Amino acid sequence: YVELGEGDAVRLDVESALRLAYVHSPNHQSQLETLYLSALDVTEERFRLDTQFFAGSGLDYVHDGKLNPPSIAFDDTTGKYVISPGGDGAESNRVTLGSSATAQRRFATAGQLLAGFANSFVFEFTGGDANLTASLANFSLIQPLLRGAGRDIALEQLTRSERNLLGSLRAYGQFRQGFYTNVAIGELGVVGPQRNGSGTNLQSFSGFGGVGGYVGLLQQLQQIRNTRDNLNLQLRTLEQLEFRLDAGSINLEQVDRFRQSVEAEKARLLRANNSLQLSLDQYKTQTLGLPPDLKLELDDTLLQQFQLVSQNATALLDTIVDAQQRVGQLPEDENGDLADEVTVAMIEQLLTDVTPLVELVGMQLATLPPDLERMEEIAKAREEDMLDIDRKLFQRDRDELRKKYSDLLAEYRTAPNVMKELKSWLDEESRAATVDDLIDWLRGLRRIVERSVLVQAGARLESVTVDPVALRSPDAFQIALGNRLDFMNGRAALVDSWRLIQFNRDALQSVLNVTADGNVQTSKNNPLSFRAPTTNLQLGLEFDAPITRLIERNDYREALINYQRSRRGYIQSRDALNQGLRALLRQIDQLRQEVEIQRRAVTIAIRRVDFTQALLDAPVAPAAPGALPNQFGPTAAIDLLAALSSLRDSQNSFLRVWLEYYTARLRLVRELGIMELSPAGEWIENEFPAAFEPAGGADAAEDTDELPSLPPAELPPGILPDADNPAPAAPAM
């Protein structure tokens, strides 16, 4: 039921993770079991109100010895006690076979009816081998008249079981919403079904939430990629610095600091990889319910837009660096000049090998226009929410990216001509000059690719967008009250506590029951010889005055207090929901603005890297005759190192803020109760509501109360036992 990738690894995205979790998650299985147990409670209560049949039989063997003591037994036929003398020296062996059948029924009026039939066969194996057969049919009826006798009392337990089952169904529906967010962002946020019903203390978003679940795994994966890209860039720069160290154009202290940073970046990458593996194991065991050694292959489609540097560009840079190393490894004489053993044929072969780089660089530049075009397409929508000053900065950054791309094209167009000139000028006398020009040519190609990578990263960065949420907190609160299933259960629980007041109030009254009993027996040694003279009928009234009602009074007072507690809990839950929604909407607005702030930070970091790289690529002024070679500035390498670290950190921050906005928006859909799921549990993303619309439509009056109001603070007249007015009905909630 899931796709397998290379090495039988499960291809994991949110949809496949959901399929796995619905099958293997212990938490989901527990919710289903709780729902099933709630259904069992309903069947049990319905069984109590249905006609119940019981039947059975028994076989007894009785042996009386010669010296058995006298026995006393009641004779149902004569209605007298019969004494059987013992010790008469006679043995007795009897086999008794008895059977019975009973039917009983509880009525919706709180009455109970019991009807039964029994017979017995006695076989005596001593004396004359006599046998005796007798049958009995009886019934019993009791019907209460006071204490609220009727459907409200007789069906109370069934009603509560059915309401609990309905609440469990609602809770499971909301649990599926939380189950999706738990798989996607690592936050359940709901309680789920409860067998004995939910209360009025309901769970809502507290205002604090992070990024976890599957999205959290993707975040760690992309941070590892950012760290790896930064490490590769540092390694390539370190090779350039070591080459300049050998040439004397940079001091050892700057190179060592760069080397130290490279080692620290390697350690950081190792820790990040280990942390990702630990998170994967925890996700498999705790969320999906799978063993930790299951192979997974993460689908990172959601984060494709954050891969600012293409893998092809990185591979091309590595190829150019290899070519530079190959040229740098040409033998030199003791004066540092090109050795005589380097022939023209060797240089010609070297020029031939590096010529394809021109086409590869052109292919890299050809990938920039689509990214620039997408940036312009998205720019119109982004500018609608910008201030004038931000709009001008955004336009300036886009113009700068397009200008850089034009400059790169102009610089690239000269590369083929330069290569042709190198090949045409090559002879024995120009060997060294050709090698020097080749080094400059490769440095220029590398610079073109590095700058194209930064341009591409900037264009892709500007193309990342967020879906806006235009919703006021009062509207969000009304939407949540009208759609959240747990608040429906909370209102139902409050009604149950209200109904329990009336139920316990009825127990304070007197008891008056109508009773009826009767039976008919067989008159002869025949199991079916029922006769009218053997009939017994009894009718009666049972009355119990309300003299002692201490326990009932305490239960009633307890019900009054529990209602007030439930009411306060429900009001506090409403306030907590309102507070959580307000905090969540503020967080969404903050994150939306912070996305733009972090985007600007990444743009600045890209410019810093471009500028500091240009300083290292610039040629050093030639030294005076007999003087030491001139060096770069004392902080040139350190500035580049700081720029690279800032680029990595700003990329991670931008990714973090965007994912926090994504999770907050998903969390808001769940908290509003409007998350629509497919039968497979997948989120069907619909258009986000802009405002609350009453049930009467947009033209309804603004002051119309379309949602349940707060429960009454005081009990109305008629609910107290000493009131003259009848008890009121329960509030509609």
Side-chain angles (χ1 to χ4, degrees):
Y1 48 91
V2 291
E3 294 184 12
L4 298 181
E6 185 178 354
D8 291 337
V10 176
R11 292 181 177 176
L12 196 68
D13 55 13
V14 176
E15 287 72 19
S16 60
L18 272 174
R19 288 194 292 270
L20 289 170
Y22 270 114
V23 175
H24 300 283
S25 172
N27 189 15
H28 176 255
Q29 187 63 33
S30 297
Q31 304 303 321
L32 288 178
E33 292 168 349
T34 302
L35 188 61
Y36 181 75
L37 292 174
S38 298
L40 289 182
D41 294 337
V42 174
T43 60
E44 179 179 348
E45 294 302 326
R46 290 183 176 181
F47 173 74
R48 295 180 188 275
L49 293 171
D50 197 2
T51 302
Q52 302 173 16
F53 298 94
F54 304 93
S57 61
L59 180 65
D60 297 322
Y61 168 75
V62 179
H63 169 74
D64 293 331
K66 295 180 180 180
L67 300 178
N68 58 319
S71 61
I72 301 177
F74 183 78
D75 189 350
D76 293 332
T77 303
T78 61
K80 300 180 180 179
Y81 287 96
V82 179
I83 301 177
S84 299
D88 57 359
E91 293 188 16
S92 175
N93 294 279
R94 297 187 305 277
V95 174
T96 303
L97 176 62
S99 59
S100 63
T102 305
Q104 64 181 26
R105 177 69 181 266
R106 296 176 58 183
F107 299 102
T109 58
Q112 297 185 30
L113 174 64
L114 175 66
F117 174 81
N119 59 21
S120 63
F121 298 88
V122 180
F123 301 94
E124 180 67 44
F125 296 103
T126 56
D129 291 339
N131 61 77
L132 175 65
T133 302
S135 298
L136 173 69
N138 62 348
F139 78 95
S140 175
L141 173 66
I142 181 172
Q143 175 60 57
L145 299 180
L146 298 180
R147 284 196 167 192
R151 301 182 68 87
D152 56 338
I153 299 298
L155 303 182
E156 176 64 20
Q157 293 301 323
L158 175 61
T159 302
R160 293 186 67 87
S161 298
E162 290 177 339
R163 290 171 66 86
N164 289 341
L165 177 58
L166 177 59
S168 296
L169 289 170
R170 289 198 193 108
Y172 179 71
Q174 188 185 36
F175 173 80
R176 294 181 72 238
Q177 299 176 357
F179 195 68
Y180 178 87
T181 59
N182 187 46
V183 172
I185 63 175
E187 181 182 291
L188 185 62
V190 297
V191 176
Q194 300 181 35
R195 185 178 184 183
N196 296 323
S198 60
T200 56
N201 294 312
L202 308 175
Q203 177 177 332
S204 299
F205 176 64
S206 62
F208 300 94
V211 180
Y214 182 77
V215 175
L217 297 177
L218 294 184
Q219 179 184 10
Q220 291 182 266
L221 179 63
Q222 185 60 37
Q223 288 176 345
I224 290 175
R225 289 172 177 169
N226 293 341
T227 303
R228 186 183 297 114
D229 291 340
N230 186 270
L231 176 61
N232 292 333
L233 187 55
Q234 288 190 22
L235 288 172
R236 289 193 296 268
T237 305
L238 180 60
E239 293 175 357
Q240 182 181 1
L241 294 178
E242 290 177 341
F243 174 77
R244 294 187 177 277
L245 178 63
D246 295 337
S249 58
I250 194 171
N251 58 48
L252 179 62
E253 193 273 338
Q254 294 192 66
V255 178
D256 279 344
R257 290 188 64 174
F258 219 95
R259 290 168 177 165
Q260 187 177 13
S261 175
V262 168
E263 300 305 321
E265 199 73 2
K266 290 179 180 178
R268 183 180 291 106
L269 184 60
L270 286 175
R271 290 194 298 268
N273 278 310
N274 183 61
S275 178
L276 175 60
Q277 295 303 319
L278 177 60
S279 299
L280 279 171
D281 290 345
Q282 292 176 344
Y283 186 74
K284 286 181 283 188
T285 56
Q286 299 177 11
T287 303
L288 303 182
L290 295 170
D293 55 353
L294 179 70
K295 296 180 181 179
L296 294 180
E297 178 183 318
L298 296 179
D299 182 1
D300 59 349
T301 304
L302 179 66
L303 299 184
Q304 289 291 337
Q305 56 185 336
F306 292 97
Q307 296 182 15
L308 305 181
V309 179
S310 66
Q311 299 300 319
N312 293 333
T314 303
L316 179 56
L317 283 174
D318 293 338
T319 303
I320 296 176
V321 170
D322 293 340
Q324 288 179 313
Q325 291 178 347
R326 183 178 173 185
V327 175
Q329 292 173 357
L330 293 176
E332 297 178 350
D333 57 18
E334 57 185 11
N335 296 324
D337 298 329
L338 190 66
D340 295 336
E341 60 187 79
V342 180
T343 64
V344 173
M346 295 174 58
I347 299 176
E348 285 181 349
Q349 183 62 43
L350 190 59
L351 293 175
T352 302
D353 293 341
V354 300
T355 299
L357 292 177
V358 177
E359 183 180 357
L360 295 177
V361 173
M363 294 173 59
Q364 165 61 20
L365 293 177
T367 61
L368 299 185
D371 293 325
L372 293 173
E373 291 175 3
R374 174 168 174 76
M375 176 186 68
E376 292 299 331
E377 292 174 359
I378 297 178
K380 297 180 180 179
R382 288 185 53 197
E383 286 178 340
E384 294 178 357
D385 298 330
M386 290 185 180
L387 300 176
D388 291 339
I389 184 173
D390 296 330
R391 193 177 296 111
K392 292 179 181 179
L393 290 175
F394 184 35
Q395 182 64 46
R396 187 197 66 181
D397 291 340
R398 301 197 327 265
D399 293 340
E400 184 178 349
L401 288 176
R402 288 193 295 268
K403 183 179 183 303
K404 287 182 178 180
Y405 173 66
S406 300
D407 295 341
L408 289 175
L409 283 180
E411 186 176 351
Y412 167 73
R413 292 190 183 100
T414 64
N417 297 329
V418 173
M419 177 55 63
K420 291 180 181 179
E421 293 176 357
L422 290 178
K423 291 181 179 180
S424 62
W425 292 346
L426 178 61
D427 55 21
E428 187 65 30
E429 295 180 357
S430 62
R431 288 182 308 111
T434 301
V435 171
D436 292 339
D437 292 341
L438 178 59
I439 292 176
D440 293 337
W441 184 81
L442 288 174
R443 185 184 298 115
L445 281 186
R446 174 178 171 178
R447 180 60 182 159
I448 291 174
V449 176
E450 289 177 342
R451 296 187 65 189
S452 71
V453 167
L454 296 178
V455 171
Q456 188 176 47
R460 292 183 177 182
L461 176 68
E462 299 295 348
S463 301
V464 178
T465 60
V466 293
D467 297 326
V469 175
L471 185 64
R472 300 184 307 114
S473 57
D475 291 329
F477 183 50
Q478 295 298 316
I479 292 173
L481 288 179
N483 291 277
R484 285 194 47 152
L485 298 174
D486 56 341
F487 272 79
M488 296 180 188
N489 286 343
R491 293 192 293 269
L494 187 60
V495 171
D496 287 338
S497 63
W498 180 283
R499 293 170 62 252
L500 194 58
I501 295 176
Q502 180 66 38
F503 183 83
N504 289 331
R505 177 175 176 264
D506 291 336
L508 297 173
Q509 302 179 23
S510 302
V511 176
L512 179 61
N513 297 334
V514 175
T515 62
D517 297 283
N519 62 70
V520 57
Q521 304 179 18
T522 55
S523 60
K524 299 179 181 180
N525 192 10
N526 186 330
L528 299 178
S529 61
F530 293 101
R531 297 293 182 269
T534 63
T535 301
N536 182 19
L537 181 63
Q538 179 180 353
L539 299 175
L541 289 175
E542 295 179 353
F543 177 76
D544 180 15
I547 299 175
T548 303
R549 291 291 185 268
L550 179 63
I551 297 178
E552 290 80 358
R553 185 206 65 182
N554 290 350
D555 292 340
Y556 173 67
R557 296 298 181 185
E558 182 180 355
L560 293 174
I561 294 174
N562 287 339
Y563 170 74
Q564 295 296 336
R565 288 182 174 180
S566 298
R567 177 181 178 274
R568 291 195 300 268
Y570 179 71
I571 294 175
Q572 290 176 337
S573 297
R574 285 170 54 109
D575 293 340
L577 174 63
N578 195 5
Q579 175 188 350
L581 289 174
R582 290 167 59 87
L584 187 54
L585 289 173
R586 288 195 300 266
Q587 182 186 28
I588 288 176
D589 185 63
Q590 168 208 326
L591 292 172
R592 182 185 60 81
Q593 299 180 49
E594 194 173 349
V595 165
E596 298 302 325
I597 294 174
Q598 295 298 334
R599 192 199 309 270
R600 294 287 304 161
V602 177
T603 302
I604 295 172
I606 290 175
R607 282 205 300 264
R608 286 182 59 190
V609 172
D610 190 17
F611 178 75
T612 52
Q613 281 184 338
L615 290 179
L616 285 179
D617 289 335
V620 181
L628 294 175
N630 290 329
Q631 294 186 347
F632 289 97
T635 61
I638 307 306
D639 292 342
L640 177 58
L641 183 61
L644 292 175
S645 299
S646 176
L647 177 60
R648 179 203 62 219
D649 295 340
S650 60
Q651 281 183 288
N652 290 339
S653 298
F654 179 66
L655 172 67
R656 174 187 56 81
V657 173
W658 190 91
L659 289 179
E660 286 182 355
Y661 183 90
Y662 176 83
T663 57
R665 188 173 180 274
L666 180 58
R667 187 180 295 117
L668 178 62
V669 177
R670 184 199 65 204
E671 290 298 307
L672 293 177
I674 60 175
M675 178 179 287
E676 183 179 355
L677 301 176
S678 68
E682 301 171 0
W683 178 31
I684 302 175
E685 189 171 358
N686 298 319
E687 185 177 355
F688 210 87
F692 168 71
E693 183 173 331
D699 297 332
E702 295 182 358
D703 57 350
T704 301
D705 189 7
E706 296 289 342
L707 294 175
S709 60
L710 288 174
E714 300 294 338
L715 298 178
I719 199 65
L720 296 178
D722 56 352
D724 298 330
N725 298 326
M733 292 188 182

